[in-house]
Amino acid sequence: MMWPSIALLAFVTAQRLGELVLARRNTAALLARGAREVAPEHYPLMVALHAGWIVGLWLLAAGRPVELFWFALFMGLQALRLWVLATLKGRWTTRIIILPGAPLVRSGPYRLLRHPNYVIVIGEIAALPLAFGLPLYGVVFSLLNACVLLIRVKAENAALESAMILK
């Protein structure tokens, strides 16, 4: 039965492409309001990582059975992702954008964690390959993602600190 894996991969691909459109729109709106992008040099690396993750899954996972536990975990993470998007609204973007004078969001999942979206992405990058029975793939991309997130979180925290948003 190929269609469950194809449907799941199509869902994830459409979701990520939709998020890129939303992020681009939100970024443009924030920049028009006087925001500035910080540390853009790591962004191509992050895009390459996520694109490679999806392309590799299409190559290796299409047609494989979907393991229900990992699928359910992945879908639970999607619900949490929607919570992040709903909380940040127009401030959600895939880039590090600082809007001077804007307070740090401290509602929704941000009451619990400083970077909930990154925790969700960590889970997704591991859970989706596991849903297809590809544990080594999940480990490799989790390690690559950890490298990118070390750069990203450090840059984001420094940007927020310099904007005197974090205390």
Side-chain angles (χ1 to χ4, degrees), residues 11-27 43 46 50 53-54 74 77-85 89 92-95 117 120-121 124:
F11 166 78
V12 173
T13 303
Q15 176 193 49
R16 292 301 199 264
L17 292 173
E19 286 174 358
L20 286 175
V21 170
L22 175 64
R24 184 171 289 167
R25 186 176 71 220
N26 287 348
T27 296
Y43 189 72
M46 192 173 75
H50 286 266
W53 178 71
I54 290 173
F74 180 80
L77 291 167
Q78 301 322 292
L80 294 174
R81 175 184 289 288
L82 290 174
W83 190 22
V84 166
L85 290 169
K89 299 179 181 93
W92 184 86
T93 181
T94 54
R95 296 178 177 271
N117 195 61
I120 293 164
V121 171
E124 289 174 331

Side-chain angles (χ1 to χ4, degrees), residues 22-83:
L22 175 64
R24 184 171 289 167
R25 186 176 71 220
N26 287 348
T27 296
L30 287 165
L31 293 174
R33 291 175 49 201
R36 62 184 168 80
E37 182 175 3
V38 177
E41 57 279 352
H42 77 280
Y43 189 72
L45 183 60
M46 192 173 75
V47 170
L49 172 82
H50 286 266
W53 178 71
I54 290 173
V55 169
L57 285 171
W58 273 103
L59 293 173
L60 297 174
R64 293 180 68 102
V66 177
E67 297 181 24
L68 290 181
F69 173 81
W70 295 109
F71 170 75
L73 178 63
F74 180 80
M75 294 313 288
L77 291 167
Q78 301 322 292
L80 294 174
R81 175 184 289 288
L82 290 174
W83 190 22

